[in-house]
Amino acid sequence: MEYLSTRDKTLRKSAAQAITMGLSRDGGLFTPVSFPSLSALEVETLCTMSYPRRAAYIMGKYLEDFRAEDLARFAERAYSLEKFDTPAIAPLRKVDGRTWCLELWHGPTSAFKDMALQMLPQLLSASLRMTEEKKTACILAATSGDTGKAAMEGFADVEQTKILVFYPENGVSEIQKLQMVTQEGGNVGVCAVKGNFDDAQNGVKRLFSDEALREKLARRGYFLSSANSINWGRILPQLVYYISAYCDLLNAKEIKLGQPVNFCVPTGNFGNILACYYAKRMGLPVGKLICASNRNDVLTDFIRTGIYDRNRPFHTTMSPSMDILISSNLERLLFDMSGGKDELVREYMEQLAQTGRYEVTPGMKRRMQEIFYGGFCGEEETASSIAMLYRYGYLIDTHTAVAAKVLTDYRKKSGDRTPAIFVSTASPYKFCDSVLSSIGQVPVENSVERIAQMVDITGVAAPVRLAGLKGKEIRFRDVTGMELMEEKVLSFLE
Ligand SMILES: *Cc1c(COP(=O)(O)O)cnc(C)c1O
């Protein structure tokens, strides 16, 4: 399978090259030239497999130049009981007779980023071998919380890689900060940046485009790489759990083979829902794809009107991982919806950069609306969604609550009674403050104590690693100014 750039489809790369490069030089995203099909017989076979074996099989269809036994080993390592707290890895929880929740937060950092970031480092180091790259990949990341921790956890002690994460000094939750500064591993580094997330992010972007720095690093045997969801190696592992969830419904005799299922996905950068769309492209019987946003409803408007317009206020919400106005993976969908018109994608992306707005053709809008529904949910509705499911005995986080609410809205509006799965992207224990308030409790002062408080009140067990943060050794205390980030990188790679 070859990969092309969404901005120039004559540019072709192997999977290993696409994963090593991350982003195409022309700014486009690497996308498979075609989608391998998944037959009904194959779905039946997948039903008999464990999660790691399903992952190796599905990824093998896109990574033909990787050895099957390597992929099997990577999957066993990524989705092991050492890392995940349930053998199902991505379990389905039944909510009512035709609704399930796909829990993607049973990994080491309690957020769904683990599903991809436990796999990406292994794909990357294999890709380095296959492309005969001798230099060490230095992953630089700016994080607003979940990505940095999940990336470090994935890259910790992976050969031929080092990872340095920058986070805004006062822009992440205390739990998220503790998760990062206690990270273990000989090849990891963490540093706070004075400023907000945009400052940290801009600082990292500047480092990436600094040619002099690149040359300096190359002389020392390093090249810069990214763990962002623009990397194909992050999207691919995410296809697996949609197919796996379908198999689990079949195994539980809840549906018949070939029967469509709707998915509702809480969306930020459009990576997670894009993976579901790609699974549908392979032939998985997915009905409607419901794109759930919080108050930052740029995608809702886009799906409804065909106009993408980021010129609007940015809201800070209780579902911070979805506080985003530019969803970078949407570019891959545009490419597909336009029937592979790279010049059109290039034009839209130029308009977006210059005016913050573009409008797709009527044909693209129609195709998009056949498959996608867009909805959003405000802060009060998020809280009442948490309270409502809690009354039914199910404790969910703020991001998941957005998806649950938008699914309910969609059903009311459309009358569509297709069985549906909404996707749960974080453990409620990552957002104790908002979750406790939503169920009518007053959170205690100390953020680590809130975990125990929520266990006491709800009786729901907390993820062992989050509970274990209390008393864990702090390894990283560095704080740097924006202007000193380069020096931080150089001393990290000494
Ligand atoms: C990253 C994240 C999302 C958004 O996922 P995208 O792939 O960016 O759409 C939603 N919820 C949580 C908890 C996340 O960490």
Side-chain angles (χ1 to χ4, degrees), residues 411-427:
R411 279 174 158 165
K412 267 196 204 126
K413 211 176 253 178
S414 66
D416 184 350
R417 296 185 56 83
T418 307
I421 295 175
F422 63 95
V423 174
S424 177
T425 47
S427 158

Side-chain angles (χ1 to χ4, degrees), residues 65-84:
D65 37 356
F66 286 57
R67 291 211 308 261
E69 61 267 34
D70 283 347
L71 290 178
R73 193 162 38 88
F74 298 163
E76 291 292 346
R77 204 185 293 156
Y79 307 119
S80 68
L81 280 178
E82 229 170 87
K83 304 277 190 176
F84 282 73

Side-chain angles (χ1 to χ4, degrees), residues 112-113 146 266-272 321-322 399 425-426:
F112 98 99
K113 303 286 192 294
D146 289 337
T267 302
N269 226 348
F270 211 78
N272 202 359
S321 301
M322 296 155 70
H399 304 77
T425 47

